[in-house]
Amino acid sequence: GKSTLAHLLSRMYDTGDGDLLLDDINIKAFDLNHLRTSIAYAPQEAYLFSDTIYNNIRFGRDDANEAEIKEAARMADLDKDIMVLPKGYETMIGERGVMLSGGQKQRMVLARAILKNSKILILDECLSAVDTQTEKTILANLQSFLVGKTTLVITHRIFTSWTFDQIIILDNGA
């Protein structure tokens, strides 16, 4: 289905039949490390560590500074939630983010993908657990960030505030 496309694009597994092209080049021709470095992925199911909010957002970008991390959190509309916590960005979130809501977990993974600032961004149902107003805020925040990036949005609902170059509808996996 929809998530399979994201996994194929990041070469978590390869196609059996046919080819997947990126810029008219078979994806199998790309160096795997280079390809994965070029992709930021925000999945529906957040993978978080028993660590601080700061380190969970920074995961995969050890060179990121505090300002970059806070800007990524702001763009994901997570900063206001972080600032009400007693330890802010230094708050420990527990195993798999147990102390966070589903929407907060998704926004943390989105902030991580934003921070990576890759050429390709895959948003795989990453806003399914947020309310309508939060979704609108995030989508507005991402508008200028996405300029010049290839963005694959996997969703059950259309974001009416965005314009897309292509919309692909999968029906029964095809």
Side-chain angles (χ1 to χ4, degrees), residues 127 132-133 135-140 143 153 155-165 167:
L127 300 179
T132 307
Q133 185 54 51
E135 179 183 288
K136 286 180 183 178
T137 301
I138 293 168
L139 295 177
Q143 286 285 39
V153 180
T155 184
H156 281 94
R157 58 184 189 249
I158 298 294
F159 300 144
T160 57
S161 61
W162 282 10
T163 56
F164 296 94
D165 294 332
I167 297 176

Side-chain angles (χ1 to χ4, degrees), residues 23-161:
D23 291 333
D24 294 324
I25 301 169
N26 188 320
I27 202 160
K28 293 175 187 174
F30 288 92
D31 173 75
L32 188 57
N33 187 51
H34 175 74
L35 176 69
R36 290 187 178 158
T37 302
S38 300
I39 297 173
Y41 180 52
Q44 180 177 9
E45 296 298 323
Y47 188 82
L48 300 172
F49 306 98
S50 182
D51 202 340
T52 63
I53 290 171
Y54 185 92
N55 285 336
N56 268 281
I57 294 172
R58 187 179 71 144
F59 178 73
R61 258 295 308 276
D62 291 338
D63 65 329
N65 63 43
E66 184 176 343
E68 291 172 315
I69 290 167
K70 288 183 175 182
E71 176 60 10
R74 184 199 67 75
M75 290 178 66
D77 200 33
L78 183 62
D79 58 327
K80 66 184 185 312
D81 295 13
I82 295 169
M83 298 318 296
V84 299
L85 297 171
K87 293 186 179 181
Y89 283 83
E90 294 305 315
T91 301
M92 295 292 289
I93 62 167
E95 193 67 34
R96 293 171 39 206
V98 69
M99 68 158 286
L100 302 174
S101 71
Q104 289 170 326
K105 291 176 188 180
Q106 284 185 335
R107 288 181 285 147
M108 189 167 304
V109 173
L110 176 60
R112 183 187 293 162
I114 291 167
L115 182 65
K116 190 173 178 187
N117 198 21
S118 297
K119 296 175 187 175
I120 300 169
L121 178 62
I122 301 173
L123 305 177
D124 188 357
E125 293 282 2
C126 71
L127 300 179
S128 62
V130 301
D131 61 75
T132 307
Q133 185 54 51
T134 302
E135 179 183 288
K136 286 180 183 178
T137 301
I138 293 168
L139 295 177
N141 290 345
L142 289 178
Q143 286 285 39
S144 62
F145 175 75
L146 296 177
V147 172
K149 295 184 185 324
T150 298
T151 307
L152 176 63
V153 180
I154 299 169
T155 184
H156 281 94
R157 58 184 189 249
I158 298 294
F159 300 144
T160 57
S161 61

